[in-house]
Amino acid sequence: MAKMKAAIFVEKNRIVLDEKPIPDVGPLDALIRVTTTTICGTDIHILKGEYPVARGLTVGHEPVGIIEKLGSAVQGYQEGQRVIAGAITPSGYTNACLCGCGSQDGVGTRHGFKATGGWKFGNTIDGCQAEYVLVPDAMANLAPVPDGLSDEQVLMCPDIMSTGFSGAERGRVRIGDTVVVFALGPIGLCAVAGARLMGAATIIGVDTVPARLKVARSMGCDRVVDFKAGDPVDQIMGITDGRGVDVAIEALGTQGTFESALRVLRPGGMLSSLGVYSGDLRIPLDGFAAGLGDHTIVTTLCPGGKERMRRLMGVIETGRVDLKPLVTHQFSLDRIEEAYDLFGHQRDGVLKVAIKP
């Protein structure tokens, strides 16, 4: 049986490179030879045991690659074609998918909905930090990469770009809005870019890492707030002359950032939450105006599927946004454990790493 190298979850604080069989291809599947992938903050949650997955699972959910083999029923693609697949791989036929909630795809459930059910790679099936990955429901999920775009240019599309942009989309950013983004990691930076594309007049970014604050300015932040320089709520209310923001995007997943995002909203404002929370979340009475402030709180799991990927790559191809600066480091798959150590400890100004099998 042919083998491949893969990054495998062993136990809490242990993801190691090992060998696994190359997957068999079912009728609706496609086998992709991975040319570039990356490590996500969610993978760090898995590594730390904060998000449970099965032992022996291949981790990772952001593939760029080449079609190695197609299932017998897959049409419209050819072997040797460059493609990406979203981190979310909806089946395309459940009730959730058919009402536009592909991220909550409930294949096999009674009513067709399952919370986070569309997230399969590195969660319920083997993921992408490997030499090969099996893409389920290939015709719903494979998106051809336009000629002229490099792996690094489209590497953010499967998750980081899609998630960050969805923060602005779900927040219903309108032309002329004032928007704040809490936490300027890769997802927060993509939320900044998304808010800019949607017409925000003023974008405020909150972080404390100088390199992130610098990149945030280049991606569309008009003002940056260093939360270590003082209470970010006070700083933001000062910037807005006491009005508050129209949309607050929370991109970290902590109680503190969530509360701050709520407290800077104007009455009737929108809090768009992208964070992955690892404990109970409390809503402060004052920030929530006792439930009478007409606030809206929305959550998002990265939209996936081939049409979402096509649209995102179109934004890149036309030069509306350049996300290559987010890829700050490159490693071979053989050095995946070293890459996890760097990314997990956020050393050397790392934003995203490109992993090359």
Side-chain angles (χ1 to χ4, degrees):
M1 182 177 292
K3 300 279 189 175
M4 67 176 185
K5 295 177 181 178
I8 297 169
F9 174 77
V10 177
E11 60 187 0
K12 182 178 178 179
N13 295 323
R14 281 194 70 202
I15 289 176
V16 302
L17 189 68
D18 205 343
E19 285 193 340
K20 298 183 79 166
I22 295 175
D24 293 328
V25 181
L28 294 174
D29 302 330
L31 183 68
I32 305 303
R33 177 169 59 83
V34 179
T35 55
T36 308
T37 187
T38 185
I39 298 173
C40 179
T42 306
D43 299 324
I44 302 301
H45 284 293
I46 290 171
L47 174 64
K48 293 179 178 179
E50 296 169 350
Y51 185 91
V53 299
R55 294 189 178 196
L57 187 79
T58 302
V59 289
H61 49 260
E62 298 158 279
V64 184
I66 296 170
I67 297 175
E68 182 79 7
K69 186 175 181 181
L70 292 168
S72 58
V74 177
Q75 301 178 11
Y77 301 89
Q78 59 187 13
E79 293 175 2
Q81 190 173 18
R82 286 182 70 221
V83 292
I84 64 172
I88 304 302
T89 52
S91 63
Y93 58 79
T94 62
N95 289 349
C97 292
L98 294 173
C99 74
C101 296
S103 299
Q104 317 304 326
D105 187 16
V107 173
T109 64
R110 180 181 176 189
H111 297 292
F113 291 85
K114 181 180 179 182
T116 73
W119 174 28
K120 302 179 180 75
F121 288 143
N123 182 23
T124 58
I125 64 174
D126 278 339
C128 312
Q129 291 169 17
E131 293 180 294
Y132 296 91
V133 64
L134 191 71
V135 179
D137 300 300
M139 288 187 290
N141 291 296
L142 290 184
V145 177
D147 292 339
L149 292 185
S150 68
D151 281 16
E152 285 74 18
Q153 284 177 287
V154 301
L155 182 58
M156 300 300 107
C157 294
D159 182 0
I160 302 304
M161 183 182 183
S162 188
T163 299
F165 275 32
S166 70
E169 292 166 313
R170 288 277 286 158
R172 300 177 189 170
V173 174
R174 297 183 296 177
I175 291 172
D177 271 354
T178 297
V179 178
V180 64
V181 179
F182 282 86
L184 299 174
I187 287 177
L189 291 169
C190 286
V192 168
R196 181 183 184 185
L197 285 174
M198 294 182 72
T202 302
I203 303 174
I204 305 165
V206 182
D207 209 291
T208 193
V209 180
R212 291 183 176 186
L213 297 175
K214 181 179 179 181
V215 175
R217 290 187 179 95
S218 71
M219 296 190 72
C221 269
D222 302 285
R223 303 285 296 271
V224 294
V225 167
D226 183 343
F227 64 80
K228 287 188 177 179
D231 185 345
V233 174
D234 291 342
Q235 294 184 68
I236 293 162
M237 295 307 288
I239 291 170
T240 61
D241 193 29
R243 175 183 182 273
V245 303
D246 300 290
V247 181
I249 301 174
E250 197 287 309
L252 185 60
T254 69
Q255 180 68 37
T257 49
F258 180 87
E259 285 192 23
S260 294
L262 188 58
R263 287 191 165 107
V264 298
L265 284 181
R266 63 160 172 81
M270 177 84 76
L271 193 165
S272 180
S273 173
L274 298 174
V276 178
Y277 302 95
S278 55
D280 290 340
L281 193 61
R282 301 179 305 278
I283 296 179
L285 181 66
D286 58 336
F288 200 47
L292 303 175
D294 283 330
H295 299 116
T296 301
I297 299 174
V298 295
T299 64
T300 302
L301 174 59
C302 170
K306 67 181 181 182
E307 174 61 8
R308 175 70 170 184
M309 297 300 105
R310 183 195 68 81
R311 288 174 176 268
L312 295 178
M313 288 190 290
V315 172
I316 293 170
E317 187 177 25
T318 54
R320 297 294 191 270
V321 66
D322 179 13
L323 301 180
K324 291 197 306 294
L326 299 188
V327 183
T328 55
H329 295 73
Q330 181 172 310
F331 293 84
S332 66
L333 182 61
D334 288 337
R335 297 171 61 203
I336 188 74
E337 295 174 47
E338 182 182 343
Y340 263 98
D341 185 67
L342 173 75
F343 187 74
H345 290 93
Q346 289 293 292
R347 295 196 308 269
D348 194 27
V350 65
L351 285 173
K352 291 289 282 186
V353 297
I355 305 295
K356 301 278 189 177

